[in-house]
Amino acid sequence: MSGKTFFITGANSGFGYAIASAALKAGHKVIGTVRSDAARASLLERLPDVHPVLCDVTDFDRIDAVVSRTEADFGPVDVLVNNAGYGHEGVLEESPLSELQRQFDVNVFGAVAVAKAFLPRFRQRRAGFILNVTSMGGLITMPGIAYYCGSKFALQGISEVMRSEMAPFGVHVTALCPGSFRTDWAGRSMVRSERSISDYDSLFDPIRQARQEKHGAQLGDPDKLAEAVLGLVMSDTPPPQLLLGSDALGLVRKRLHAMLQEIDDWEAVTCSTDG
């Protein structure tokens, strides 16, 4: 595998850390973004060969300068891994709009801002690979994570358009759609809205409890995901999206089959509006 330069957002934990570690072991150069000096020190302690860069993806006005300085210091980036993000859990009626705005600022606007900083560089070089980490929650929904699914559905759609717009310039774009993995997504990284409406107790309380109990025992292995990503970036024909995890495969297939049935069931009404 020829050496590439990776730019990974949120490199100090979760998928970002796993991909950074695997890429370094494979002989690639890795620039990893962190949000604080403490996180930079922690990352360097665990991965001494990484090149940490301070960058909060919601500091939109600084991202272009960060990317320009990064390429000036380390050379052209080949692979962008838009990994920075977090989960929000809460019943829609109970969850403040401020939490929705923050969820979209990080998971959508931050990812798009970083991608937009690289698009002209990749387009002009007629090369590059953008991996936007979405989720199976960008293709299916579950009660209690409306804000999260909304953000991932948005990034999923943007990724597909980005892919079609960049394809003529030799730039690949793939959305990574993981299922449940052993990361901090359901732990310290998750924002949970407080409960306040008892009508939702029977629906949501078991879901929240099950998610907390399952944390740390999910089927997905982040290191295996990282290996899959390294294989993906070497492909000449990468897919628009890549499901990762057998749970994601099963749940997305089930939703697609149900959607096809819904379309068939309502076909007459659908076509009745033609005039």
Side-chain angles (χ1 to χ4, degrees):
M1 185 183 293
S2 59
K4 293 182 179 294
T5 299
F6 284 66
F7 185 96
I8 304 173
T9 65
N12 59 319
S13 64
F15 297 139
Y17 178 81
I19 296 169
S21 179
L24 287 170
K25 289 178 182 177
H28 301 295
K29 183 187 297 182
V30 175
I31 298 102
T33 74
V34 294
R35 290 187 297 162
S36 68
D37 288 329
R40 175 166 58 183
S42 174
L43 181 60
L44 275 173
E45 184 177 354
R46 291 173 293 154
L47 295 177
D49 293 328
V50 77
H51 301 287
V53 172
L54 283 174
C55 179
D56 184 331
V57 299
T58 64
D59 193 355
F60 308 129
D61 292 338
R62 287 195 63 246
I63 290 175
D64 278 336
V66 169
V67 171
S68 294
R69 181 59 184 267
T70 294
E71 292 209 332
D73 289 345
F74 304 110
V77 168
D78 303 299
V79 181
L80 164 63
V81 181
N82 249 329
N83 165 74
Y86 72 96
H88 172 274
E89 179 193 76
V91 174
L92 182 61
E93 187 179 350
E94 295 177 335
S95 301
L97 281 176
S98 59
E99 292 181 353
L100 174 63
Q101 181 172 349
R102 176 62 180 171
Q103 181 82 117
F104 271 66
D105 277 347
V106 176
N107 290 4
V108 183
F109 290 101
V112 173
V114 175
K116 281 176 64 65
F118 280 102
L119 291 181
R121 294 171 167 82
F122 287 174
R123 173 176 50 79
Q124 290 162 12
R125 293 197 287 260
R126 297 300 196 261
F129 204 133
I130 298 172
L131 297 169
N132 289 326
V133 180
T134 62
S135 168
M136 67 177 177
L139 297 166
I140 62 168
T141 62
M142 299 177 187
I145 52 172
Y147 288 2
Y148 178 75
C149 287
S151 72
K152 294 303 186 179
F153 264 74
L155 186 56
Q156 189 79 22
I158 290 169
S159 296
E160 291 191 19
V161 175
M162 190 186 301
R163 176 185 175 89
S164 63
E165 292 180 347
M166 298 306 292
F169 310 114
V171 179
H172 298 307
V173 180
T174 293
L176 299 178
C177 310
S180 298
F181 277 75
R182 294 187 295 275
T183 68
D184 284 330
W185 180 82
R188 67 177 181 84
S189 295
M190 176 168 278
V191 172
R192 290 181 162 91
S193 294
E194 292 190 13
R195 296 298 326 286
S196 59
I197 304 172
S198 60
D199 278 348
Y200 292 109
D201 289 354
S202 61
L203 169 68
F204 182 62
D205 284 353
I207 294 174
R208 172 167 281 181
Q209 181 178 353
R211 182 172 288 126
Q212 290 174 327
E213 291 175 350
K214 189 179 179 182
H215 175 55
Q218 296 94 331
L219 184 61
D221 182 341
D223 292 333
K224 290 185 176 180
L225 178 144
E227 292 300 325
V229 167
L230 292 189
L232 177 67
V233 299
M234 301 307 295
S235 172
D236 293 328
T237 56
Q241 60 275 315
L242 177 63
L243 296 173
L244 294 160
S246 58
D247 56 344
L249 179 65
L251 289 169
V252 172
R253 272 183 172 164
K254 181 179 179 181
R255 177 56 187 138
L256 291 175
H257 289 156
M259 184 180 295
L260 288 173
Q261 186 62 56
E262 292 162 10
I263 290 171
D264 290 343
D265 290 346
W266 289 87
E267 181 177 356
V269 177
T270 300
C271 295
S272 72
T273 59
D274 292 349

